[in-house]
Amino acid sequence: MYTLSVFSWDKTDAEVVAVDGLFFAVRGSLFPRVRFDDMTFDKFHFYDLDICMQVRRTHKLIVTWDILLKHLSGGVVDNTWIEAGRKFLAKYKNELPSTCINVIPDLSVHLEAMHYNLRGKAPQGTIA
């Protein structure tokens, strides 16, 4: 089943703290300073968050609204993921929690992501 998960219908780019490793683009000029840490993250998990934390030290991370991707995996939370998470927290203990906002969000307001089953067609009137 193909599902479209929508976190916002705002057609604006936004600064974020981290992005999923499914797809991200990094300026070539950052390559000398940003490296895959294959010693700490020797499996599949948390390499993307590690890259994001490195980039955030000198640049902003921006998510754009106009790229639609098909992701074939829902992800797996297993012991390998948990161990990678522990390594990530240890590596960035002096930089977490991390934020890109100047105001504290109202945690009493919970916005649900909208999920659409795309088998056969996209929802009418929602994708420009």
Side-chain angles (χ1 to χ4, degrees), residues 34-96:
V34 176
R35 295 277 182 217
F36 282 100
D37 179 358
D38 59 351
M39 299 300 290
T40 305
F41 304 104
D42 58 345
K43 303 285 190 277
F44 187 73
H45 305 292
F46 282 84
Y47 70 89
D48 45 2
L49 298 181
D50 181 51
I51 294 287
C52 291
M53 292 299 287
Q54 292 177 55
V55 169
R56 282 182 45 77
R57 289 176 178 153
T58 58
H59 290 73
K60 292 181 179 182
L61 282 89
I62 304 294
V63 169
T64 187
W65 66 273
D66 59 349
I67 298 174
L68 183 63
L69 298 172
K70 184 186 334 181
H71 195 282
L72 300 177
S73 170
V76 175
V77 176
D78 56 10
N79 288 335
T80 303
W81 186 92
I82 292 168
E83 182 57 30
R86 285 187 184 119
K87 290 177 181 179
F88 177 82
L89 293 174
K91 181 174 181 176
Y92 292 103
K93 66 183 174 190
N94 295 326
E95 297 176 56
L96 294 172

Side-chain angles (χ1 to χ4, degrees), residues 4 6 8-9 11 65 114 116 118 121-128:
L4 171 66
V6 178
S8 172
W9 286 112
K11 292 185 176 182
W65 66 273
M114 294 173 278
Y116 298 96
L118 297 182
K121 65 177 182 177
Q124 294 298 317
T126 57
I127 298 177

Side-chain angles (χ1 to χ4, degrees), residues 11-32:
K11 292 185 176 182
T12 59
D13 295 347
E15 183 179 357
V16 295
V17 172
V19 296
D20 185 83
L22 167 66
F23 174 83
F24 53 68
V26 179
R27 289 183 180 183
S29 61
L30 290 176
F31 288 165

Side-chain angles (χ1 to χ4, degrees), residues 86-114:
R86 285 187 184 119
K87 290 177 181 179
F88 177 82
L89 293 174
K91 181 174 181 176
Y92 292 103
K93 66 183 174 190
N94 295 326
E95 297 176 56
L96 294 172
S98 185
T99 186
C100 61
I101 59 172
N102 294 323
V103 295
I104 298 172
D106 181 355
L107 299 179
S108 68
V109 177
H110 182 72
L111 300 175
E112 290 289 331
M114 294 173 278

